[in-house]
Amino acid sequence: MIQFKSIRPILWTNNLEESITFYCTVLGFKLDEKNADWGWASLTKEEVNLMLALPNEHTFIEKIGFSGSLYFEVTEVDKLWEEIKDKAKICYPPEVFEWGMKEFALYDNNGYLLQFGTAQ
């Protein structure tokens, strides 16, 4: 039986160093590996893995971004909000939604929508 074991998004960026700085300083990710020749980096925070990459000859990208968001389930959404609310462009502040999650959202340095939520 085929099993899907994990998902590891690759976020395209026009500025690899700026993106590494955002994820490491604002969200507390750790840079695990970087290859400047490839224009690629791998980051982790606890059980979350992300990759960052410069567009290359295999991709046709007119504009950095996508029509969706990355949703991070966290343990203490209010505490996280207090730590990062002044460090990034905010989409919406903490709110409890009818589906039982308290969440907020912000934009990273590339304009990707990042949502953070804790079950209530």
Side-chain angles (χ1 to χ4, degrees):
M1 176 201 251
I2 297 172
Q3 292 180 330
F4 284 49
K5 299 183 77 151
S6 67
I7 186 168
R8 207 168 161 198
I10 300 175
L11 300 178
W12 298 107
T13 180
N14 286 323
N15 188 321
L16 188 61
E17 290 303 321
E18 184 180 282
S19 295
I20 291 168
T21 299
F22 177 88
Y23 281 89
C24 291
T25 61
V26 175
L27 298 177
F29 276 76
K30 180 182 91 161
L31 176 63
D32 294 320
E33 189 175 350
K34 180 175 107 176
N35 187 310
D37 292 336
W38 299 345
W40 171 88
S42 177
L43 308 169
T44 57
K45 181 166 180 160
E46 286 93 33
E47 297 180 37
V48 176
N49 298 289
L50 291 175
M51 291 184 277
L52 302 168
L54 297 172
N56 59 45
E57 69 273 6
H58 302 290
T59 58
F60 177 74
I61 297 177
E62 291 183 31
K63 180 182 165 197
I64 297 298
F66 61 84
S67 61
S69 66
L70 295 177
Y71 194 96
F72 297 83
E73 189 171 346
V74 299
T75 55
E76 297 180 58
V77 75
D78 290 320
K79 186 174 180 180
L80 180 61
W81 168 256
E82 289 301 321
E83 289 179 9
I84 67 176
K85 68 181 180 182
D86 298 323
K87 298 178 183 177
K89 181 180 174 187
I90 303 302
C91 178
Y92 61 88
E95 181 178 344
V96 177
F97 290 92
E98 62 188 68
W99 48 87
M101 295 295 287
K102 183 171 191 177
E103 59 186 59
F104 70 88
L106 56 84
Y107 298 98
D108 81 354
N109 64 298
N110 297 292
Y112 292 115
L113 180 60
L114 309 178
Q115 295 173 272
F116 302 87
T118 300
Q120 295 297 288

